[in-house]
């Protein structure tokens, strides 16, 4: 079976390489036209705050410079956003299932680090378009956490921008009871932790040249996401992180409310959500408490099971329950990108990052803010039906 | 003034002083009527000052005041001067709105009925002691909720509007603002197809039976009973006449009756053969309280809310209206956008529920919740929105719907629009005469970072953030 898979993967790789070569060439010509300057009355900065009168200079689909709006040279290719509109980095959904249908995880083994969710991703899935129109430009998709190590996540864009669309992501580790399986084991916490420890020990004993995912993880070269359910799960995870020096993010539940200080001390990011109108008070206050303890948070919108507005609804509910608004905006953008491991590419209005933008009619935390425009790698993929933007100079 | 000397000490004092008392009273009245010191005998006035007031009744008032007396808004505006003895509330930096109204919510509804009984009222199922849930509602500015009568598929009870006002005598919350707001019919959109069809037929049957009952009672009261009474009367008159004739002919021997037996009570006496039928009293169709309620709905005295999510169920609801002539509002309507044209044509309004995942089977409902508001608005359907569940976040829900629909504002949907839909003339706006159910916000209520600082119900403070111990908000 493994041999077949390797063969299939090789074939896919060859096909992908060929496709890449073609799209790279096509991508070049695409990117060259994506050069302009956006002037926004308000913009969401990397620290999550709203800054006024910001100009973002885009060249070849990347952010070249951020300056004050009145410093823009007048002959630039200028797009002026309407009054009240807010320019934001594209929203990022974490631990998502966007574009991955059906069972995506091998169930035969409890530890299977070589599975890559990219193989199961369909870039033409309709839900991606729906998410894009709601302002979600990237999603960290994960193999379902039904085994202890279920493979690698990947971060995908919600539109096809050639080879830049997909990035390999974190290794998924699961210490919660959802990894239990009576057929193949483990069937208990003790059993689970034993197996995991054995695997990590084995990985640590490998030579520095070994490039298997777990070996790289214990060397700190491969990020991991650890899925937790209970407080004990978080405890065990923090111990493993300390013991093996893992570069980790924890996917948590509202049980974490009892451990906000420990999480703050541990310097691990967390993934949490979604919140809705039926959420318990514990869940509602948790993001605010974590942010106040200095924990970086990214939101899980549970897409596509829920509407993509679920991400902003989660943020709004967290803010109403006490979360600092800037922290909430980070949880949708720069914080989420850091957790997904793509903060060198997307997630913030910062020099050198791709021009993945959303123009909202107001602060994205306000649920009545409409999505006016969505751009990925500088190219406009969506504009609301009545065109609000005024174009100065030539249109991009 | 003349000295009050007593002329006759035997008369009671009061009688002697009566004319002077009269004069005194007249003077007091005059004093009261005069503007200058009128406060002496009036209700205390409360004045909220230095507020930004979103009246939902015109423009926003910057740096304004609201004058409240006896729980009612007297006036709201800028540059008002407060009466000297008024209780003043300084609202500097705060924004005041009318209390938010959830047009469809289940706040405090803990006693769920089995359903099926139109005499049950949802207000009876409201738990006014659930302070946690109610305080959470105040924290989010909610002051009134329409409580549907839920139960089982079919015809259920009567919904009502509950204001979150405190009954200090019993230390509980809940003042019925509108009793008998609507009869509830649930078309069972969650049921399997066969059961849904059976349920719908069951509803039609019940409605038809109510009409038959009405017809039977009408027949009884308008025909059968008068007919019977007429016959009784005629017989009585006849007997009287015969008695009279008999008296006259007492000298004459009474002719023997044909059969020799005693003359029948009910028969005609005298020389007539009597094989007349006994006059039977018709049976009054027993008063059926449930059918009476259903008849009020059919007669348009009582509005009807029909819970229907699937497109086919919504069309069935329209068919019910067509057949029985009730005034209906659709509740839920997840697939309403698929039949928007039909709804617009029938001029039937709809109350939408939650815009986010709320446990409904996603695969069962085609289409997207967000599309609903936009397409309904485009088709000209009158739509309103509630929470469909716990009422606290009804404004957020309305904002989600408003973000998709072009001409809607989330705040308006849960204040003036909701009040208009529910027929609450004294709520939903800050205007003279309205009840003083007001919310003080630290910023724009549509901004999630805003906090509710204070809630007034009927002009009295029921919630203050400064005193809120158990809040989720720091």
């Amino acid at each position: 079976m493994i041999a077949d898979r390797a063969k299939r993967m090789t074939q896919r790789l060859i096909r992908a390489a060929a496709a890449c070569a073609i799209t790279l060439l096509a991508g070049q010509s695409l990117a060259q036209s994506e050069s302009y300057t956006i002037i926004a009355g308000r913009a969401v900065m990397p620290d999550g705050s709203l800054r006024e009168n910001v100009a973002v200079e885009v060249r070849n689909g990347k952010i070249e410079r951020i300056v004050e709006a009145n410093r823009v040279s007048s002959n630039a290719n200028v797009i002026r956003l309407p009054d009240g509109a807010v320019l934001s980095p594209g929203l990022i959904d974490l631990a998502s299932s966007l574009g991955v249908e059906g069972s995506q995880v091998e169930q035969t083994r409890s530890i299977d680090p070589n599975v890559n969710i990219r193989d199961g991703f369909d870039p033409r899935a309709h839900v991606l378009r729906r998410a894009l129109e709601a302002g979600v430009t990237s999603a960290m998709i994960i193999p379902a956490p039904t085994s202890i190590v279920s493979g690698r996540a990947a971060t995908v864009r919600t539109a096809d921008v050639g080879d830049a669309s997909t990035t390999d992501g974190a290794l998924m580790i699961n210490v919660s009871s959802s990894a239990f399986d009576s057929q193949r084991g483990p069937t208990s916490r003790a059993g689970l932790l034993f197996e995991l420890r054995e695997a990590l020990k084995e990985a640590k004993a490998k030579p520095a040249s070994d490039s298997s995912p777990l070996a790289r993880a214990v060397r700190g070269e491969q990020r991991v996401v650890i899925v937790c359910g209970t407080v004990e799960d978080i405890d065990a995870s923090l111990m493993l992180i300390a013991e093996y020096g893992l570069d980790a993010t924890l996917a948590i539940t509202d049980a974490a409310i009892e451990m906000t200080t420990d999480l703050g001390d541990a310097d691990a990011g967390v993934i949490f959500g979604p919140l809705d109108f039926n959420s318990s008070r514990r869940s509602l206050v948790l993001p605010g408490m974590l942010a106040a303890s200095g924990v970086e948070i990214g939101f899980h919108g549970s897409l596509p099971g829920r509407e993509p507005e679920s991400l902003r609804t989660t943020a709004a509910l967290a803010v109403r329950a006490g979360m600092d608004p800037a922290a909430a905006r980070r949880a949708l953008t720069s914080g989420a990108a850091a957790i997904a491991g793509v903060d060198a590419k997307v997630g913030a209005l910062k020099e050198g990052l791709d021009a993945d933008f959303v123009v909202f009619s107001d602060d994205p935390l306000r649920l009545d803010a409409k999505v006016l425009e969505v751009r990925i790698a500088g190219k406009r993929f969506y504009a609301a039906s009545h065109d609000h933007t005024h174009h100065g100079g030539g249109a991009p | 003034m003349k000295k009050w000397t007593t002329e006759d000490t035997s008369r009671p004092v009061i009688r002697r002083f009566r004319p002077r008392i009269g004069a005194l009273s007249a003077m007091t009245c005059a004093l009261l009527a005069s503007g200058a010191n009128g406060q002496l005998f009036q209700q205390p006035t409360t004045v909220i000052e230095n507020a930004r007031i979103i009246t939902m009744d015109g423009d926003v008032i910057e740096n304004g005041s609201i004058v409240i007396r006896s729980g009612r808004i007297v006036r709201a505006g800028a540059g008002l001067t407060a009466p000297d003895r008024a209780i003043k509330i300084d609202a500097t930096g705060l924004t005041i709105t009318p209390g938010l109204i959830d047009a469809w919510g289940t706040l405090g509804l803990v006693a769920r009925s089995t359903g099926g009984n139109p005499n049950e009222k949802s207000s009876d199922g409201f738990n006014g002691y659930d302070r946690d849930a109610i305080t959470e509602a105040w924290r989010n500015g909610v002051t009134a909720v329409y409580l549907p009568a839920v139960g089982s598929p079919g015809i259920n009870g009567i919904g009502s509007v509950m204001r979150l006002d405190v009954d200090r005598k019993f230390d509980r919350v809940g003042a019925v603002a509108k009793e008998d707001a609507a009869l509830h019919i649930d078309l069972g959109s969650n049921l399997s197809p066969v059961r849904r069809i059976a349920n719908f037929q069951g509803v039609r049957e019940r409605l038809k039976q109510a009409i038959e009952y009405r017809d039977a009672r009408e027949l009884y009261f308008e025909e059968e009973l008068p007919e019977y009474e007429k016959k009784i009367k005629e017989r009585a008159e006849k007997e009287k006449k015969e008695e009279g004739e008999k008296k006259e002919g007492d000298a004459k021997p009474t002719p023997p009756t044909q059969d020799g037996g005693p003359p029948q009570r009910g028969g005609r006496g005298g020389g007539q053969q009597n094989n007349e039928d006994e006059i039977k009293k018709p049976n009054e169709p027993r008063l059926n309280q449930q059918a009476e309620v259903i008849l009020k709905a059919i007669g348009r005295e009582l509005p009807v809310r029909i819970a229907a999510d699937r497109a086919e169920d919504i069309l069935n609801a329209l068919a019910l209206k067509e057949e029985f002539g009730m005034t209906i509002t659709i509740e839920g309507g997840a697939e309403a956008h698929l039949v928007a044209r039909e709804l617009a044509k029938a001029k039937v309004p709809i109350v939408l529920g939650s815009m986010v995942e709320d446990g409904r089977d996603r695969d069962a409902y085609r289409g997207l919740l967000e599309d609903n508001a936009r397409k309904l608005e485009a088709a000209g359907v009158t739509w309103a929105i509630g929470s469909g569940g716990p009422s606290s976040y009804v404004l957020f829900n309305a904002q989600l719907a408003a973000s998709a629909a072009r001409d809607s504002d989330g705040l308006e949907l849960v204040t003036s629009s909701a009040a208009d839909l529910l027929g609450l003339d004294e709520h939903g706006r800050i205007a003279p005469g309205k009840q003083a159910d007001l919310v003080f916000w630290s910023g724009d209520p549509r901004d999630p970072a805003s906090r509710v600082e204070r809630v007034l119900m009927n002009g009295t403070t029921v919630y203050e953030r400064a005193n809120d111990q158990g809040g989720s908000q720091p």
Side-chain angles (χ1 to χ4, degrees), chain A residues 16 19-28 30-31 118 121 123 155-167 345 354 376-377 379 381:
Chain A
C20 275
I22 298 169
T23 46
L24 249 167
L25 292 168
Q28 285 284 11
L30 202 72
R118 285 178 82 151
F121 174 63
T155 302
V156 300
R157 303 288 242 291
T158 50
D160 192 357
V161 283
D163 66 332
S165 292
T166 310
T167 318
K345 283 187 62 181
D354 288 351
I376 296 184
K379 179 176 175 215
F381 280 92

Side-chain angles (χ1 to χ4, degrees), chain A residues 46-318:
Chain A
D47 65 357
S49 64
L50 286 178
R51 193 189 299 173
E52 300 197 336
N53 298 323
V54 173
V56 179
E57 295 178 12
V58 175
R59 182 170 298 282
N60 298 333
K62 285 200 191 293
I63 300 172
E64 192 170 66
R65 224 159 54 112
I66 316 255
V67 295
E68 267 174 67
N70 53 22
R71 301 271 209 89
V72 174
S73 43
S74 55
N75 56 5
N77 208 355
V78 167
I79 302 168
R80 228 168 260 283
L81 297 185
D83 285 337
V86 174
L87 179 68
S88 170
L91 307 184
I92 300 175
D93 182 33
L94 297 179
S96 183
S97 301
L98 270 178
V100 285
E101 281 301 316
S103 172
Q104 298 292 335
V105 182
E106 284 299 306
Q107 304 275 19
T108 53
R109 281 180 305 182
S110 54
I111 296 187
D112 201 350
N114 293 306
V115 173
N116 192 325
I117 194 66
R118 285 178 82 151
D119 295 333
F121 174 63
D122 176 9
R124 291 155 309 174
H126 169 73
V127 289
L128 291 168
R129 177 71 196 175
R130 171 77 180 96
L132 183 148
E133 291 180 5
V136 180
T137 53
S138 290
M140 171 187 151
I141 54 172
I142 61 165
T146 51
S147 25
I148 306 175
V149 180
S150 44
R152 296 183 68 191
T155 302
V156 300
R157 303 288 242 291
T158 50
D160 192 357
V161 283
D163 66 332
S165 292
T166 310
T167 318
D168 279 334
L171 185 65
M172 298 298 299
I173 299 177
N174 181 11
V175 300
S176 79
S177 58
S178 63
F180 293 177
D181 186 303
S182 56
Q183 302 277 334
R184 51 121 233 257
T187 56
S188 67
R189 277 198 82 241
L192 187 156
L193 288 171
F194 174 74
E195 275 195 61
L196 182 55
R197 282 213 136 81
E198 290 297 292
L200 289 170
K201 257 190 275 185
E202 200 185 303
K204 193 146 186 159
K206 296 237 164 82
S209 54
D210 186 296
S211 60
S212 59
L214 273 172
R216 293 180 61 235
V218 298
R219 290 199 298 267
E221 296 164 17
Q222 165 70 62
R223 293 174 42 262
V224 306
V225 169
I226 308 180
V227 178
C228 306
T230 63
V231 169
E232 290 77 20
D233 295 340
I234 298 175
D235 243 338
S237 305
L238 293 178
M239 275 199 297
L240 288 169
I241 289 169
E243 204 176 315
Y244 290 94
L246 301 171
D247 177 7
T249 300
L250 302 181
I252 56 169
T253 64
D254 65 354
I257 201 165
E258 299 173 42
M259 297 196 70
T260 53
T261 323
D262 299 87
L263 285 166
D265 293 337
D267 195 31
V270 301
I271 301 174
F272 179 70
L275 295 172
D276 58 40
F277 303 147
N278 288 302
S279 291
S280 66
R281 205 167 298 156
R282 264 161 68 107
S283 297
L284 291 169
V285 301
L286 180 58
M289 289 177 66
L290 288 170
S293 299
V295 178
E296 197 62 41
I297 306 168
F299 286 136
H300 165 62
S302 201
L303 278 55
R306 298 190 178 208
E307 304 294 340
E309 285 75 18
S310 166
L311 271 178
R312 284 201 291 134
T313 304
T314 299
L317 285 165

